[in-house]
Amino acid sequence: MTDPIRPTDDEARAMARALLDDARFGALGVLDGGVPMVSRIAVGTDAGGGPVTLVSSLSAHTGALRAEPVCSLMVGEPGPKGDPLTHPRLSLHCAARFVERQSEAHAALRARWLESHPKAKLYIDFGDFGFVAMEVQGAFLNGGFGKAFRLTPQDLGLADRPRTE
Amino acid sequence: MTDPIRPTDDEARAMARALLDDARFGALGVLDGGVPMVSRIAVGTDAGGGPVTLVSSLSAHTGALRAEPVCSLMVGEPGPKGDPLTHPRLSLHCAARFVERQSEAHAALRARWLESHPKAKLYIDFGDFGFVAMEVQGAFLNGGFGKAFRLTPQDLGLADRPRTE
């Protein structure tokens, strides 16, 4: 049996980076009492290119992330045509970090988010909404059948991001 | 703070059932060494309406499901227009059950799968591909902002499914 993982090259790095940059939503996997739970979340990036989401504290995934920050985020949505399993997608292994609402980081994320998600102006300032930064620890790129790659944060250009808690 | 979960009604049951019946792919969340991992899988149904997937043994999620069958499957893909977070989606809490390739169950699933996924004829008989039935244990329907429901297998019409291992 051959190893289905190919050596990472610049084409794979660029595809992964584009999938993350272009994502407006994605599938989040969290631990809910030790059991996986997948839900849809909005996805954007911070100024350093790291994935960010805007979530409500009323959502089940928000409570799960507060209890257990380890999570998985898949981005790369198929279009309406073709075999969806040949469409590239990127699964990120992440640790969630909640952003304080009164912080400068929040203000910067808010301005950036409204550029990529203009409809969020309807609820972005609701008291139960807040940003969660996803600190990427590794990634798996599936570029279609037979095109799988394991990527590091560095491969996504995230090498120099500060890790703050 | 009000409870965001509404009482389940027939409209919610019908919406959930339609999301599952119409799904051709979805986001699978598995445990990978105790950590969530989300990937895209093909989705269909068996004759009883339960979710089924066709996976390769070369895929990371297949190995993870063999080690730990508990998983989450999200179906309900947004179209190209509108706010994707207002598009309904259904998250199923499941236990994966691998289907023997030489069984009658496999033959029935194979015929049904080729009707809903005609392009799968290119690889359905490859030695590394096989069916996994997802035994639904519960579900969460997000019908858009403020329209959340918890559903039982019975709500999805899955009450009478045999549980065989």
Side-chain angles (χ1 to χ4, degrees):
Chain A
M1 191 178 290
T2 55
D3 185 352
I5 310 293
R6 294 191 188 184
T8 299
D9 56 19
D10 282 346
E11 187 180 346
R13 291 183 189 100
M15 179 184 277
R17 189 62 246 176
L19 287 169
L20 179 51
D21 286 335
D22 294 346
R24 293 297 173 270
F25 64 97
L28 175 72
V30 299
L31 289 177
D32 182 27
V35 166
M37 179 176 69
V38 179
S39 56
R40 180 162 295 137
I41 58 169
V43 174
T45 56
D46 61 21
V52 173
T53 186
L54 175 68
V55 292
S56 164
S57 60
L58 298 173
S59 296
H61 48 237
T62 305
L65 285 177
R66 283 200 185 279
E68 176 53 77
V70 64
C71 58
S72 176
L73 174 63
M74 182 178 70
V75 295
E77 293 297 320
K81 294 191 178 181
D83 185 340
L85 292 181
T86 64
H87 190 91
R89 60 274 193 186
L90 178 70
S91 294
L92 301 163
H93 170 47
C94 302
R97 178 172 52 79
F98 284 79
V99 178
E100 287 288 333
R101 281 180 70 92
Q102 306 303 326
S103 64
E104 285 182 29
H106 176 91
L109 287 172
R110 183 183 179 283
R112 186 177 169 90
W113 189 270
L114 287 174
E115 286 181 20
S116 57
H117 300 73
K119 290 176 182 167
K121 68 184 177 203
L122 296 171
Y123 51 82
I124 196 169
D125 293 322
F126 287 0
D128 57 305
F129 275 83
F131 288 105
V132 179
M134 317 288 244
E135 302 282 3
V136 176
Q137 301 178 339
F140 184 82
L141 171 67
N142 188 327
F145 283 116
K147 288 187 273 185
F149 305 88
R150 288 198 190 283
L151 285 80
T152 65
Q154 288 82 352
D155 287 325
L156 289 161
L158 300 174
D160 301 315
R161 301 192 69 217
R163 299 287 311 269
T164 55
E165 289 294 330
Chain B
M1 190 179 291
T2 55
D3 184 351
I5 310 292
R6 295 191 186 182
T8 299
D9 56 20
D10 282 346
E11 188 180 345
R13 291 184 190 100
M15 179 184 278
R17 190 62 246 176
L19 287 169
L20 180 52
D21 285 336
D22 293 346
R24 292 297 173 270
F25 64 98
L28 176 72
V30 300
L31 289 177
D32 181 27
V35 166
M37 179 178 69
V38 179
S39 55
R40 180 161 296 136
I41 56 169
V43 174
T45 57
D46 61 21
V52 174
T53 186
L54 176 68
V55 291
S56 164
S57 60
L58 298 173
S59 297
H61 48 237
T62 305
L65 285 177
R66 284 201 185 277
E68 177 53 78
V70 64
C71 58
S72 178
L73 173 64
M74 182 177 70
V75 294
E77 292 298 318
K81 294 190 179 181
D83 185 341
L85 292 181
T86 64
H87 190 92
R89 60 273 192 187
L90 178 70
S91 293
L92 300 164
H93 170 48
C94 301
R97 178 172 53 79
F98 284 78
V99 177
E100 288 288 333
R101 282 179 69 94
Q102 305 304 327
S103 64
E104 285 183 28
H106 175 91
L109 287 172
R110 183 184 179 282
R112 187 178 170 91
W113 188 270
L114 287 173
E115 286 181 20
S116 57
H117 300 74
K119 290 176 182 167
K121 70 183 176 203
L122 296 172
Y123 50 83
I124 195 168
D125 293 322
F126 286 1
D128 57 304
F129 276 83
F131 289 105
V132 178
M134 316 287 245
E135 302 282 1
V136 176
Q137 300 177 340
F140 184 81
L141 171 68
N142 188 327
F145 283 118
K147 288 187 273 184
F149 305 88
R150 287 198 190 284
L151 284 81
T152 65
Q154 288 81 356
D155 287 325
L156 289 161
L158 300 174
D160 301 315
R161 299 192 71 217
R163 297 288 310 270
T164 54
E165 288 297 331

